[in-house]
């Protein structure tokens, strides 16, 4: 090998270590070993240092050297626009990767795991679950009202192939039009359901497969875990079973109402035939009831759903348009009386079940958990209601007369008593059938609706001392005939106070009030705020002033509305269920869910003042209607009568007949609505062949109920409130002109030659004996307040001081 290159001139030879300064040698044992030959200095690979070369390289690449970075106020490097854009896209990519992982990869793995862990229920296992009795308790929480046994005997499990295409297509149209092609869940349906929930709309995204799982497990909890498991089970079921098997299983377990679990039981219950024999129209009705089986006897609901299903069958080309046009709504057979085979009143059970179904607890779910239903029904009140209606209706010569009574607790909203008539009646062939529940049928409320006229008026700041023209036979714009009052005792002068008009039920005053001051919409709003459901037609119909025309309400709704007055303007939704538990006494919900809210104004004191002024006006009505309050209790209320709408060919005396009569009244602890009338527009009469009125039929029923139920309870009075607007005690009016030709008390004032043609005209029984009332027209000038100064009717002999 050649000689290694030396270092710079004058340097010592490589490998020679210069002695330390001063000529000292290292101490023994500290000498440094020679460098290894692998070092650069020994192998000749070490570059010689040349400062000139460094300067030259720096000058050559000076343009490529990044200058010192500029920093912002926080000490971070300032980026150029290009650098910022690059960093932004880098962040976006990382977020996208994370989203894919979170929303796709992880759920996919979790779905696969869930898929293999879950089991698909069979119709047989579902039938076994739906076999526990449901127990109903009275309000005391101990006394059993009755039990509802499972309907296992009404179930028949069909096999694949037993259900005709007509029935399947009707169910697809009602529940899941894509059933034959989807994989167990419909992504677009789920997205649509999410959108509807976010925007306050209606409609879910469940397929038939998902509904099958939900029905089979009876798990309807609004949780992500339940929905997740449901999707996995639905997908697995569609992989393991055919569509024919799935739809058959679904129709074997779904509830159709009338105690019918499964399509075969439903076909028997509604049409007394087998599933294979159902027509398209009949199948559409049954399919439409799947979403609301508790409304099976509601004609409006059933018709609406039938029309929807039939139209969807045409849209999906499962029914020809000409067949749809020719189709008629099918008439189910009368509901079998055998369904009432339990110890509790049938109509009460139906109302309870409807309420629970609306909250997501249908019959199948209740039976699957062995539910315990703790009701609001008071056994004493229930007996008093049944006794009052039965006793007062006994021995009537008019077989068209029907009666009902509902009582509500103003302090809770709970229904204390509910009697809609007998559970069963005879059909045309003499067989028993389920009777109509007349406590849940909407009828014209007549003058009992005037309480809401007054509520709307008071909300405007008007008072009981304001005056209107209360004379008889007044003409109003839009009417072809004069509006009449119910006899001379129901009329007063051109300066009739609102308070006196309410006491005597002067039609002309309240018609004038609604037509020219409140308008119908405000009256409908006041009724709705009190708890009486209204319709758009009511808001536009002037007949609402007298409770006629489009104005209709059930006895239950009227009792709930008047209960709002009794509670000082605090509304509590009427309900039958105080608490629901399962067989292990685990509470599903209790009465705390029904919270009181101010009805007529957001200010609780203001709403109490409005309700108190209504109560002040309704107090004297009790005595004027010849009714008595229970001893020691203050009462308020209003009668109502709806006139019969005369038909062509009717006898002349039918012009004075009435079709519906009411008495709705309350104390601070109970509000009750009694109704006596006919099935629709019927010319009713009493045993003397005279018209019936609110004060002589439902009035005595109400009176007996209140007396029996409140017997032995502590005395109670209404809270006093300040008058709104003009105080009636400050008003002086002139006496009304006496009638020259007295009218018999049993009939309204009219002549055979000029009968009333207005079906909404109120006709009340005129007073035939002196009554105490607030100052007003017909009193001969100012009079002192009623004894006790409260203006409320009191029973004879009660304390007045």
């Amino acid at each position: 090998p050649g000689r290694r290159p030396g270092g710079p001139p004058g340097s010592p030879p490589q490998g020679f270590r210069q002695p330390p300064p001063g000529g000292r040698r290292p101490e023994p044992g500290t000498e440094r070993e020679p460098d290894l030959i692998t070092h650069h200095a020994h192998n000749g690979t070490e570059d010689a240092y040349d400062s000139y070369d460094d300067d030259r390289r720096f000058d050559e690449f000076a343009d490529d050297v990044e200058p010192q970075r500029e920093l912002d106020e926080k000490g971070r490097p300032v980026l150029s626009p290009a650098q910022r854009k690059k960093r932004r896209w880098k962040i976006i990519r990382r977020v996208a990767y994370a989203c894919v992982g979170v929303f796709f990869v992880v759920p996919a793995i979790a779905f696969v795991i869930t898929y293999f862990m879950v089991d698909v229920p069979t119709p047989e296992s579902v039938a076994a679950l739906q076999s526990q009795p449901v127990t109903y308790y009275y309000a005391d929480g101990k006394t059993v009202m009755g039990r509802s046994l499972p309907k296992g005997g009404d179930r028949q499990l069909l096999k694949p192939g037993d259900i005709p295409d007509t029935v399947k297509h009707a169910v697809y149209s009602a529940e899941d039009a894509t059933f034959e092609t989807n994989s167990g869940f419909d992504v677009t349906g789920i997205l649509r359901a999410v959108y509807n929930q976010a925007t306050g709309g209606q409609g879910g995204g469940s397929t038939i497969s998902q509904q099958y799982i939900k029905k089979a497990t009876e798990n309807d909890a609004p949780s992500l875990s339940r929905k997740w498991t449901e999707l996995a089970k639905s997908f697995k079921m569609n992989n393991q079973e055919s569509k024919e098997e799935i739809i058959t299983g679904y129709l074997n377990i779904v509830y159709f109402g009338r105690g019918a679990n499964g399509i075969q039981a439903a076909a028997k219950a509604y049409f007394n035939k087998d599933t294979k024999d159902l027509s398209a129209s009949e199948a559409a009705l049954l399919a439409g009831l799947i979403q609301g089986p508790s409304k099976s006897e509601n004609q409006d609901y059933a018709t609406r759903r039938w029309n929807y299903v039939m139209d969807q069958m045409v849209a999906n080309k499962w029914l020809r348009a000409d067949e749809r046009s020719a189709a008629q709504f099918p008439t189910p057979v009368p509901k079998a009386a055998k369904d009432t085979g339990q110890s509790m009143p049938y109509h009460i059970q139906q109302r309870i079940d409807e309420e629970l179904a609306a909250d997501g607890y249908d019959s199948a779910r209740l039976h699957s958990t062995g539910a315990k239903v703790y009701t609001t029904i008071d056994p004493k009140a229930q007996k008093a209601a049944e006794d009052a209606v039965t006793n007062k209706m006994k021995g009537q010569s008019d077989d068209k007369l029907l009666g009902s009574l509902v009582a509500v607790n103003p302090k809770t909203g709970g229904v204390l008593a509910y009697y809609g008539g007998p559970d069963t009646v005879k059909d045309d062939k003499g067989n028993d059938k389920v009777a109509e529940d007349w406590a849940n049928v909407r009828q014209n409320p007549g003058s009992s609706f005037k309480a809401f006229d007054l509520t709307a008026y008071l909300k405007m700041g008007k008072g009981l001392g304001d005056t209107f023209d209360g004379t008889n036979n007044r003409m109003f714009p839009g009417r072809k005939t004069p509006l009449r009052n119910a006899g001379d005792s129901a009329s007063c002068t051109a300066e009739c106070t609102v308070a006196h008009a309410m006491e005597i039920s002067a039609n002309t005053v309240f018609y004038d009030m609604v037509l020219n001051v409140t308008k119908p919409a405000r009256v409908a709003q006041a009724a709705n705020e009190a708890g009486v459901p209204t319709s758009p037609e009511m808001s536009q119909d002037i007949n609402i002033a007298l409770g006629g025309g489009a104005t209709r309400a059930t006895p239950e709704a009227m009792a709930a509305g008047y209960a709002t007055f009794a509670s000082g303007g605090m509304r509590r939704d009427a309900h039958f269920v105080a608490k629901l538990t399962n067989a292990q006494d685990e509470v599903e919900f209790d009465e705390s869910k029904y919270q009181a809210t101010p009805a007529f104004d957001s200010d609780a004191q203001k709403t109490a003042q409005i309700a108190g002024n209504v109560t002040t006006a309704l107090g004297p009505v009790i005595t004027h209607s010849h009714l008595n309050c229970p001893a020691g209790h203050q009462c308020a209320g209003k009668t109502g009568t709806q006139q019969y709408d005369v038909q062509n060919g009717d006898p002349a005396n039918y012009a004075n007949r009435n079709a519906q009569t009411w008495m709705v009244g309350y104390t601070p602890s109970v509000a009750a609505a009694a109704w006596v009338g006919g099935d629709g527009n019927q010319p009713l009469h009493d045993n003397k062949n005279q018209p019936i009125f609110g004060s002589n039929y439902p009035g005595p029923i109400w009176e007996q109920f209140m007396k029996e139920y409140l017997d032995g309870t502590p005395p109670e009075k209404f809270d006093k409130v300040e008058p709104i607007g003009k105080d009636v005690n400050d008003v002086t009016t002139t006496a009304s002109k006496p009638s020259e030709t007295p009218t018999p008390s049993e009939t309204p004032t009219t002549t055979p030659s000029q009968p009333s043609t207005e079906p909404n005209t109120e006709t009340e029984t005129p007073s035939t004996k002196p009554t105490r009332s607030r100052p007003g027209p017909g009193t001969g000038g100012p009079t002192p307040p009623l004894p006790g100064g409260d203006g409320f009717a009191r029973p004879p002999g009660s304390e007045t001081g």
Side-chain angles (χ1 to χ4, degrees):
R3 183 181 179 180
R4 294 179 181 274
S11 64
Q14 283 188 332
F16 176 79
R17 184 179 182 85
Q18 286 185 336
R24 290 178 303 164
R25 289 185 175 275
E27 295 293 333
T30 63
E31 298 88 345
R32 180 178 178 183
E33 296 181 0
D35 290 336
L36 298 177
I37 62 175
T38 55
H39 290 186
H40 292 295
H42 295 287
N43 58 24
T45 59
E46 180 178 330
D47 292 334
Y49 176 79
D50 191 338
S51 62
Y52 172 80
D53 289 341
D54 282 347
D55 294 339
R56 181 171 53 80
R57 284 196 300 271
F58 179 80
D59 292 338
E60 181 179 355
F61 299 103
D63 293 339
D64 295 335
V65 177
E66 184 177 350
Q68 185 176 2
R69 303 285 291 274
E70 181 182 356
L71 303 178
D72 59 15
E73 63 275 6
K74 295 183 179 181
R76 296 174 301 187
V78 178
L79 302 179
S80 67
Q83 290 173 323
R84 285 197 298 268
K85 182 177 181 181
K86 184 178 181 180
R87 173 173 290 185
R88 194 160 48 241
W89 278 108
K90 183 178 181 180
I91 295 173
I92 292 173
R93 285 196 304 272
R94 289 180 176 177
V95 171
Y97 296 152
C99 289
V100 170
V102 172
F103 295 106
F104 293 96
V105 178
V106 173
I109 296 174
F111 190 85
V112 171
I113 295 174
T114 306
Y115 179 91
F116 287 104
M117 291 180 62
V118 298
D119 294 322
V120 177
T122 64
E124 290 78 11
S125 65
V126 175
L129 283 174
Q130 297 173 334
S131 60
Q132 301 183 61
V134 178
T135 307
Y136 301 82
Y137 295 88
Y138 279 108
D140 59 12
K142 299 177 181 179
T143 307
V144 175
M145 180 188 296
R147 285 185 172 87
S148 176
L149 301 178
K151 304 295 182 180
D154 292 338
R155 186 198 306 273
Q156 180 180 343
L157 299 180
L158 300 180
K159 297 179 180 179
D162 289 345
I163 301 175
D165 288 341
T166 299
V167 175
K168 290 188 289 187
H169 291 160
V171 175
Y172 298 163
S173 298
E175 301 298 315
D176 181 10
T178 66
F179 171 76
E180 294 286 359
T181 57
N182 65 50
S183 59
F185 54 87
D186 182 4
V187 176
T188 59
I190 294 174
L191 295 176
R192 183 172 60 254
V194 172
Y195 174 79
N196 288 336
Q197 292 184 3
T199 58
Q202 295 181 348
S206 295
T207 63
I208 284 178
S209 299
Q210 291 173 264
Q211 292 182 49
Y212 176 90
I213 298 300
K214 186 186 301 181
K215 294 286 185 183
T217 58
E218 289 301 334
N219 184 2
D220 198 22
S223 62
L224 291 176
S225 61
R226 190 273 300 175
K227 198 68 176 178
W228 179 265
T229 305
E230 179 184 292
L231 290 175
K233 289 184 177 182
S234 300
F235 185 71
K236 187 172 186 177
M237 182 170 60
N238 276 266
N239 287 334
Q240 293 180 344
E241 301 178 11
S242 67
K243 291 291 185 179
E244 179 68 23
E245 291 173 323
I246 295 173
I247 189 61
T248 303
Y250 173 74
L251 289 177
N252 274 333
I253 69 172
V254 71
Y255 183 63
F256 289 88
R258 290 197 176 186
N261 285 302
I263 186 65
Q264 178 66 10
K268 290 287 188 180
Y270 287 90
F271 302 109
N272 197 27
K273 59 175 61 175
D274 292 324
T275 301
K276 62 183 179 61
D277 298 323
L278 291 173
S279 67
S281 182
E282 294 166 341
L285 174 59
L286 295 181
L289 291 176
I290 291 176
Q291 288 191 11
S294 63
K295 302 177 183 178
S296 61
E297 309 310 307
N298 184 322
Q299 184 72 15
D300 292 339
Y301 176 83
T303 303
R304 184 169 66 253
R305 290 292 297 163
W306 176 79
N307 281 316
Y308 170 78
V309 176
M310 292 291 284
D311 291 340
Q312 288 299 304
M313 291 179 72
V314 174
N316 287 283
K317 303 186 184 305
W318 290 320
L319 187 69
R320 297 197 312 269
D322 61 319
E323 293 176 325
R324 169 69 178 96
S325 300
Q328 299 292 324
F329 181 82
T331 302
V333 298
K335 191 172 183 179
K338 65 180 180 181
D339 287 346
T340 65
Q342 65 275 326
S343 58
M344 66 183 297
Y346 177 70
H347 293 145
I348 292 180
Q349 185 197 354
Q350 292 302 296
R351 297 293 291 116
I352 292 172
D353 289 348
E354 288 174 11
E355 181 177 306
L356 290 171
D359 287 336
Y361 299 91
D362 62 13
S363 177
R365 184 174 181 181
L366 295 175
H367 283 294
S368 69
T369 62
K372 297 179 181 179
V373 183
Y374 296 87
T375 76
T376 61
I377 300 295
D378 185 302
K380 180 181 179 182
Q382 183 64 26
K383 183 178 184 304
E386 295 177 7
D387 289 347
V389 176
T390 303
N391 293 342
K392 298 301 180 181
M393 298 290 293
K394 187 182 299 182
Q396 298 303 317
S397 59
D398 192 341
D399 59 3
K400 296 184 179 65
L401 283 176
L402 306 163
S404 66
L405 186 145
V406 180
V408 173
N409 185 344
K411 299 176 182 178
T412 65
V415 177
L416 297 170
Y418 188 92
Y419 183 66
D423 287 344
T424 62
V425 294
K426 298 292 185 182
D427 60 16
D428 296 338
K429 299 180 180 179
N431 299 319
D432 286 342
K433 70 174 183 177
V434 175
E436 187 74 56
D437 177 7
W438 297 107
N440 194 34
V441 176
R442 299 168 68 243
Q443 309 279 8
N444 291 129
S447 280
S448 62
F449 217 74
K450 289 175 181 174
F452 303 114
D453 298 351
L454 178 58
T455 303
Y457 189 72
L458 293 168
K459 287 181 62 178
M460 298 176 67
K462 309 294 184 179
L464 300 179
D466 295 339
T467 59
F468 287 84
D469 184 355
T471 57
N472 196 21
N473 293 320
R474 286 184 60 191
M475 288 297 300
F476 290 94
R479 289 182 61 92
K480 298 179 181 179
T481 58
L483 179 66
R484 64 191 181 95
N485 293 316
D488 291 329
S489 65
S491 300
C492 53
T493 67
E495 294 183 354
C496 185
T497 64
V498 172
H500 189 63
M502 181 64 78
E503 179 184 353
I504 65 176
S505 197
N507 293 334
T508 54
V509 168
F510 288 95
Y511 196 93
D512 191 347
M513 177 189 294
V514 176
L515 179 66
N516 297 309
V517 183
T518 68
K519 308 302 181 183
R522 283 196 180 96
V523 177
Q525 179 184 354
N528 196 60
E529 291 170 342
V532 180
T534 57
S535 65
E537 293 77 14
M538 292 171 62
S539 299
Q540 302 171 4
D541 186 0
I542 184 57
N543 292 307
I544 195 174
L546 306 180
T551 303
R552 287 179 168 81
T554 66
E556 179 186 337
M558 291 298 289
Y562 273 52
T564 301
F565 299 137
S567 65
M570 299 300 292
R571 173 180 170 174
R572 296 169 175 84
D573 292 339
H575 57 277
F576 290 83
V577 181
K579 184 173 69 173
L580 176 68
T581 74
N582 59 19
Q584 290 73 41
D585 295 323
E586 296 172 336
V587 178
E588 295 283 344
F589 67 83
D590 57 28
E591 211 164 9
S592 62
K593 66 182 289 188
Y594 302 104
Q595 297 295 323
T597 57
F600 309 120
D601 192 278
S602 58
D603 184 348
Q605 291 185 340
K606 182 64 176 178
T607 196
Q609 187 182 21
I610 294 171
N613 275 255
V614 173
T615 299
T616 299
L618 296 181
V621 175
I622 303 298
T623 302
H624 184 84
S625 301
H626 311 159
L627 301 174
N628 295 307
C629 294
H633 297 270
Q634 284 186 342
C635 297
K638 186 72 185 76
T639 55
T641 305
Q642 176 64 26
Q643 191 171 14
Y644 168 67
D645 185 9
V646 180
Q647 307 295 305
N648 292 333
D650 282 341
N653 66 336
Y654 277 20
N656 294 331
R657 294 288 176 88
N658 299 314
Q660 315 291 338
T661 60
W662 296 75
M663 173 58 198
V664 192
Y666 54 94
T667 70
S669 63
V670 58
W675 168 85
V676 174
D679 184 3
N681 185 48
Q682 300 286 346
L684 305 176
H685 63 83
D686 62 12
N687 286 339
K688 298 180 180 179
N689 202 30
Q690 296 296 328
I692 66 172
F693 296 92
S695 57
N696 64 8
Y697 268 86
I701 291 175
W702 176 88
E703 181 181 68
Q704 178 179 329
F705 166 78
M706 298 295 278
K707 180 179 179 181
E708 184 174 339
Y709 174 62
L710 294 175
D711 182 39
T713 60
E716 51 187 348
K717 293 184 179 181
F718 295 111
D719 295 333
K720 294 183 179 180
V721 298
E722 291 295 323
I724 297 176
K726 185 181 294 185
D727 188 350
V728 67
N729 290 313
D730 298 334
V731 179
T732 302
T733 59
T734 59
S736 60
K737 183 179 178 180
S739 173
E740 297 178 358
T741 57
T743 304
S745 61
E746 295 85 356
T747 58
T749 302
T750 186
T751 59
S753 59
Q754 294 180 332
S756 170
T757 60
E758 296 295 325
N760 63 307
T761 302
E762 162 74 18
T763 55
E764 295 287 358
T765 303
S767 176
T768 58
K769 65 180 181 181
T771 59
R772 296 175 291 175
S773 66
R774 296 292 241 173
T779 62
T783 61
L786 291 177
D790 54 24
F792 295 101
R794 300 180 185 276
S798 64
E799 181 179 353
T800 60

